[in-house]
Amino acid sequence: MLIPAAALAACGGDPGLTGEAQVQVRDSAGVRIVEYVTVPEVEPPFALAAEPLYRHGANPGDYEFQFVDAGRLFPDGSAVVAWYSEVVVLSPDGTTHEVLAKVGEGPGEVISPYSVFVLGQDSVLVPDDRQSRLTLFVGDSVARIVSLPRAAHVGVAGIGASGELLLMNRFPYRSRVDIEDEWLAGHMTLFDIETGALDTVASYDHFHRERSGQPWPIIRPVGEVTVAAGRFVYTRSDRPEITWRMPDGKVIRIVRWRPEPTLLTEELLEGGEAYNRMIGRRHYGVSDARLEEMIQEDMSRYRAMIGQPIPRFGSPFADAAGNVWLPSYRPAYPEEASPYTVISPDGEWLGQVETPPGFRILDVAGGLVLGVLRDDFDVESVAVYELATRTSAVR
């Protein structure tokens, strides 16, 4: 098989929720529902160290990163990082790097590596949506290439216990303008890499409906899917709720809480204008005058929403222990979003983890946190921090 099977922890028993939190736990038709009366005030069982173990990208001879999309930690603390056109491996101390995959269409080359998955020491799985294929690297060699469904909107969210791929919708599969339903549905799908069989196991609210002839709000809710411990995890950014599904689509757990709404402020927009200007200069190919017009148009749309509710959180991800991390939402800027709310696989509210300014987490595993650190000049470097733990919540 391409992907080795992994044992998943069995579901059952009392989750041992924090007694200080006002919480109701009930089981209904095999679904465990955990409801917090408010946002629990819980001290997290772990925290980032004050200084990183290393930074790579800010020193002479380092690899120069731009717009890092994804990254994962290897068991020995080394890391693999993907951005727009290449995949790079960093040594455990961050002093050296090797380019694992260069841009191109040949074997072992990539065009759009939007994610990476570590299968063990030196084994990396890289999906490429532009080429609709999956490449398994062992060491610095290509071990296998598998064709993925040729649909630009479909992406790999994670890996199931039996080696199947768990797919989700990365983009709308059709126009959401003037659709009958309030939300355009996304789909959770299994993909058998041996047979090429696709099996859609569940649908979910993905993109909110738009109306032709009406202005589209620049801040809009979205439904997203990630994978934690081989299970689908679904969130919708306008409601405080997480749903876990087995690979066959069965719902096994729902966690809800009741926060006060977060309203858009001018402070939350700080940095967004400068960042958008940098992005525009690199990618838009327009004159400085036109670029400035575009930026000011966007920022005026953001400012028109000041005082209105914003999404509850940004794009979720799961750590190696199956905990779900919810970054705070930041408009007009990348999700360098401290604090991160962390919820355990059993639905226990573990607390909120603070991160340094400009740091965006990519992966948490083995007592380490891998992320992207952006300096005052919007230059990116990859950084690894130790995660000081008070319990064994992250392993």
Side-chain angles (χ1 to χ4, degrees), residues 217-220 260-270 272 298-312 329-333:
I218 199 165
I219 298 176
R220 290 166 284 186
E260 294 294 325
T262 300
L263 306 181
L264 181 62
T265 64
E266 185 70 40
E267 182 181 6
L268 289 175
L269 293 176
E270 290 181 2
D298 278 353
M299 296 309 298
S300 66
R301 294 173 65 197
Y302 280 115
R303 293 190 173 97
M305 297 185 70
I306 287 177
Q308 297 185 35
I310 62 174
R312 303 287 184 178
Y329 176 79
R330 293 292 182 269
Y333 205 67

Side-chain angles (χ1 to χ4, degrees), residues 281-351:
R281 285 172 178 165
R282 292 184 179 181
H283 296 289
Y284 293 168
V286 297
S287 68
D288 287 346
R290 176 55 186 146
L291 175 61
E292 198 61 29
E293 289 179 1
M294 295 167 62
I295 292 169
Q296 295 309 319
E297 287 171 3
D298 278 353
M299 296 309 298
S300 66
R301 294 173 65 197
Y302 280 115
R303 293 190 173 97
M305 297 185 70
I306 287 177
Q308 297 185 35
I310 62 174
R312 303 287 184 178
F313 38 77
S315 299
F317 67 91
D319 64 27
N323 300 315
V324 177
W325 293 60
L326 303 174
S328 300
Y329 176 79
R330 293 292 182 269
Y333 205 67
E335 292 178 349
E336 293 157 355
S338 182
Y340 287 75
T341 297
V342 188
I343 298 177
S344 81
D346 292 321
E348 181 179 0
W349 188 280
L350 298 179

Side-chain angles (χ1 to χ4, degrees), residues 74-99:
F74 289 101
D76 69 351
S78 55
V80 57
V81 178
W83 68 289
Y84 179 71
S85 62
E86 290 189 335
V87 180
V88 180
V89 174
L90 303 179
S91 63
D93 61 3
T95 58
T96 62
H97 72 275
E98 294 183 5
V99 176

Side-chain angles (χ1 to χ4, degrees), residues 125-142:
L125 200 64
V126 182
D128 185 332
D129 62 355
R130 288 282 297 277
Q131 301 191 86
S132 298
R133 73 185 185 193
L134 194 72
T135 302
L136 174 65
F137 294 90
V138 176
D140 58 1
S141 301
V142 174

Side-chain angles (χ1 to χ4, degrees), residues 172-185:
Y173 69 93
R174 65 183 180 90
S175 173
R176 59 184 182 271
V177 178
D178 294 331
I179 61 174
E180 182 176 344
D181 297 323
E182 184 178 1
W183 285 78
L184 176 66

